PDB file of all heavy atoms in Angstrom:
ATOM      1  N   GLY A 113       8.632  -3.548  16.281  1.00 92.00           N
ATOM      2  CA  GLY A 113       9.386  -3.131  15.092  1.00 92.00           C
ATOM      3  C   GLY A 113      10.614  -2.332  15.488  1.00 92.00           C
ATOM      4  O   GLY A 113      10.620  -1.613  16.482  1.00 92.00           O
ATOM      5  N   ARG A 114      11.668  -2.475  14.686  1.00 94.00           N
ATOM      6  CA  ARG A 114      12.931  -1.812  15.001  1.00 94.00           C
ATOM      7  C   ARG A 114      13.283  -0.794  13.924  1.00 94.00           C
ATOM      8  O   ARG A 114      12.922  -0.946  12.773  1.00 94.00           O
ATOM      9  CB  ARG A 114      14.022  -2.857  15.160  1.00 94.00           C
ATOM     10  CG  ARG A 114      13.645  -3.802  16.319  1.00 94.00           C
ATOM     11  CD  ARG A 114      14.702  -4.786  16.695  1.00 94.00           C
ATOM     12  NE  ARG A 114      15.920  -4.108  17.090  1.00 94.00           N
ATOM     13  CZ  ARG A 114      17.116  -4.658  16.972  1.00 94.00           C
ATOM     14  NH1 ARG A 114      17.251  -5.865  16.505  1.00 94.00           N
ATOM     15  NH2 ARG A 114      18.187  -3.997  17.353  1.00 94.00           N
ATOM     16  N   HIS A 115      13.995   0.220  14.333  1.00 95.00           N
ATOM     17  CA  HIS A 115      14.424   1.306  13.451  1.00 95.00           C
ATOM     18  C   HIS A 115      15.855   1.019  13.001  1.00 95.00           C
ATOM     19  O   HIS A 115      16.801   1.651  13.465  1.00 95.00           O
ATOM     20  CB  HIS A 115      14.328   2.642  14.194  1.00 95.00           C
ATOM     21  CG  HIS A 115      12.947   2.972  14.645  1.00 95.00           C
ATOM     22  ND1 HIS A 115      12.350   2.401  15.750  1.00 95.00           N
ATOM     23  CD2 HIS A 115      12.030   3.812  14.111  1.00 95.00           C
ATOM     24  CE1 HIS A 115      11.132   2.893  15.893  1.00 95.00           C
ATOM     25  NE2 HIS A 115      10.912   3.749  14.908  1.00 95.00           N
ATOM     26  N   LEU A 116      15.992   0.035  12.105  1.00 94.00           N
ATOM     27  CA  LEU A 116      17.312  -0.471  11.745  1.00 94.00           C
ATOM     28  C   LEU A 116      17.957   0.214  10.557  1.00 94.00           C
ATOM     29  O   LEU A 116      19.182   0.192  10.431  1.00 94.00           O
ATOM     30  CB  LEU A 116      17.231  -1.978  11.457  1.00 94.00           C
ATOM     31  CG  LEU A 116      16.858  -2.846  12.660  1.00 94.00           C
ATOM     32  CD1 LEU A 116      16.688  -4.301  12.233  1.00 94.00           C
ATOM     33  CD2 LEU A 116      17.916  -2.717  13.746  1.00 94.00           C
ATOM     34  N   ARG A 117      17.172   0.793   9.667  1.00 93.00           N
ATOM     35  CA  ARG A 117      17.766   1.338   8.451  1.00 93.00           C
ATOM     36  C   ARG A 117      17.184   2.705   8.113  1.00 93.00           C
ATOM     37  O   ARG A 117      16.097   3.044   8.575  1.00 93.00           O
ATOM     38  CB  ARG A 117      17.577   0.379   7.289  1.00 93.00           C
ATOM     39  CG  ARG A 117      16.149   0.170   6.915  1.00 93.00           C
ATOM     40  CD  ARG A 117      15.989  -0.903   5.844  1.00 93.00           C
ATOM     41  NE  ARG A 117      14.678  -0.726   5.242  1.00 93.00           N
ATOM     42  CZ  ARG A 117      14.461  -0.673   3.964  1.00 93.00           C
ATOM     43  NH1 ARG A 117      15.444  -0.827   3.118  1.00 93.00           N
ATOM     44  NH2 ARG A 117      13.245  -0.482   3.501  1.00 93.00           N
ATOM     45  N   PRO A 118      17.894   3.462   7.300  1.00 95.00           N
ATOM     46  CA  PRO A 118      17.374   4.768   6.886  1.00 95.00           C
ATOM     47  C   PRO A 118      16.026   4.603   6.168  1.00 95.00           C
ATOM     48  O   PRO A 118      15.813   3.653   5.421  1.00 95.00           O
ATOM     49  CB  PRO A 118      18.429   5.283   5.903  1.00 95.00           C
ATOM     50  CG  PRO A 118      19.674   4.552   6.258  1.00 95.00           C
ATOM     51  CD  PRO A 118      19.222   3.198   6.741  1.00 95.00           C
ATOM     52  N   THR A 120      13.044   4.253   7.747  1.00 95.00           N
ATOM     53  CA  THR A 120      12.028   3.574   8.556  1.00 95.00           C
ATOM     54  C   THR A 120      11.038   4.625   9.049  1.00 95.00           C
ATOM     55  O   THR A 120      11.435   5.665   9.569  1.00 95.00           O
ATOM     56  CB  THR A 120      12.673   2.846   9.752  1.00 95.00           C
ATOM     57  OG1 THR A 120      13.598   1.874   9.252  1.00 95.00           O
ATOM     58  CG2 THR A 120      11.636   2.160  10.621  1.00 95.00           C
ATOM     59  N   THR A 148      13.579   7.694  10.013  1.00 95.00           N
ATOM     60  CA  THR A 148      15.018   7.604  10.281  1.00 95.00           C
ATOM     61  C   THR A 148      15.800   8.073   9.061  1.00 95.00           C
ATOM     62  O   THR A 148      15.390   7.860   7.920  1.00 95.00           O
ATOM     63  CB  THR A 148      15.440   6.173  10.669  1.00 95.00           C
ATOM     64  OG1 THR A 148      15.093   5.282   9.619  1.00 95.00           O
ATOM     65  CG2 THR A 148      14.769   5.728  11.956  1.00 95.00           C
ATOM     66  N   PRO A 151      23.057   7.240   8.963  1.00 91.00           N
ATOM     67  CA  PRO A 151      23.354   6.031   8.222  1.00 91.00           C
ATOM     68  C   PRO A 151      23.116   4.739   9.003  1.00 91.00           C
ATOM     69  O   PRO A 151      22.990   3.678   8.415  1.00 91.00           O
ATOM     70  CB  PRO A 151      24.835   6.173   7.893  1.00 91.00           C
ATOM     71  CG  PRO A 151      25.394   6.973   9.018  1.00 91.00           C
ATOM     72  CD  PRO A 151      24.280   7.900   9.438  1.00 91.00           C
ATOM     73  N   GLY A 152      23.017   4.810  10.317  1.00 91.00           N
ATOM     74  CA  GLY A 152      22.868   3.590  11.107  1.00 91.00           C
ATOM     75  C   GLY A 152      21.502   3.482  11.745  1.00 91.00           C
ATOM     76  O   GLY A 152      20.621   4.315  11.539  1.00 91.00           O
ATOM     77  N   PRO A 153      21.306   2.430  12.548  1.00 94.00           N
ATOM     78  CA  PRO A 153      20.048   2.238  13.255  1.00 94.00           C
ATOM     79  C   PRO A 153      19.823   3.313  14.322  1.00 94.00           C
ATOM     80  O   PRO A 153      20.759   3.997  14.730  1.00 94.00           O
ATOM     81  CB  PRO A 153      20.180   0.864  13.898  1.00 94.00           C
ATOM     82  CG  PRO A 153      21.569   0.420  13.693  1.00 94.00           C
ATOM     83  CD  PRO A 153      22.267   1.376  12.786  1.00 94.00           C
ATOM     84  N   VAL A 154      18.583   3.434  14.774  1.00 94.00           N
ATOM     85  CA  VAL A 154      18.230   4.402  15.822  1.00 94.00           C
ATOM     86  C   VAL A 154      17.500   3.638  16.926  1.00 94.00           C
ATOM     87  O   VAL A 154      16.277   3.676  17.039  1.00 94.00           O
ATOM     88  CB  VAL A 154      17.353   5.546  15.267  1.00 94.00           C
ATOM     89  CG1 VAL A 154      17.105   6.604  16.339  1.00 94.00           C
ATOM     90  CG2 VAL A 154      17.983   6.176  14.035  1.00 94.00           C
ATOM     91  N   PRO A 155      18.233   2.898  17.751  1.00 95.00           N
ATOM     92  CA  PRO A 155      17.607   2.086  18.790  1.00 95.00           C
ATOM     93  C   PRO A 155      16.833   2.901  19.826  1.00 95.00           C
ATOM     94  O   PRO A 155      15.956   2.363  20.508  1.00 95.00           O
ATOM     95  CB  PRO A 155      18.773   1.328  19.422  1.00 95.00           C
ATOM     96  CG  PRO A 155      19.989   2.098  19.058  1.00 95.00           C
ATOM     97  CD  PRO A 155      19.694   2.779  17.760  1.00 95.00           C
ATOM     98  N   ASP A 158      13.201   2.479  19.297  1.00 95.00           N
ATOM     99  CA  ASP A 158      12.630   1.134  19.417  1.00 95.00           C
ATOM    100  C   ASP A 158      11.838   0.985  20.710  1.00 95.00           C
ATOM    101  O   ASP A 158      12.214   1.517  21.752  1.00 95.00           O
ATOM    102  CB  ASP A 158      13.737   0.076  19.390  1.00 95.00           C
ATOM    103  CG  ASP A 158      14.447  -0.017  18.052  1.00 95.00           C
ATOM    104  OD1 ASP A 158      13.949   0.554  17.060  1.00 95.00           O
ATOM    105  OD2 ASP A 158      15.514  -0.658  18.008  1.00 95.00           O
ATOM    106  N   VAL A 163       6.555   0.966  14.284  1.00 95.00           N
ATOM    107  CA  VAL A 163       7.083   0.944  12.921  1.00 95.00           C
ATOM    108  C   VAL A 163       5.972   0.453  11.996  1.00 95.00           C
ATOM    109  O   VAL A 163       5.415  -0.619  12.205  1.00 95.00           O
ATOM    110  CB  VAL A 163       8.328   0.035  12.806  1.00 95.00           C
ATOM    111  CG1 VAL A 163       8.758  -0.123  11.353  1.00 95.00           C
ATOM    112  CG2 VAL A 163       9.466   0.578  13.654  1.00 95.00           C
TER     113      VAL A 163
END
Side-chain angles (χ1 to χ4, degrees):
R114 299 187 59 207
H115 299 78
L116 295 175
R117 64 186 199 131
T120 300
T148 58
V154 185
D158 293 347
V163 173

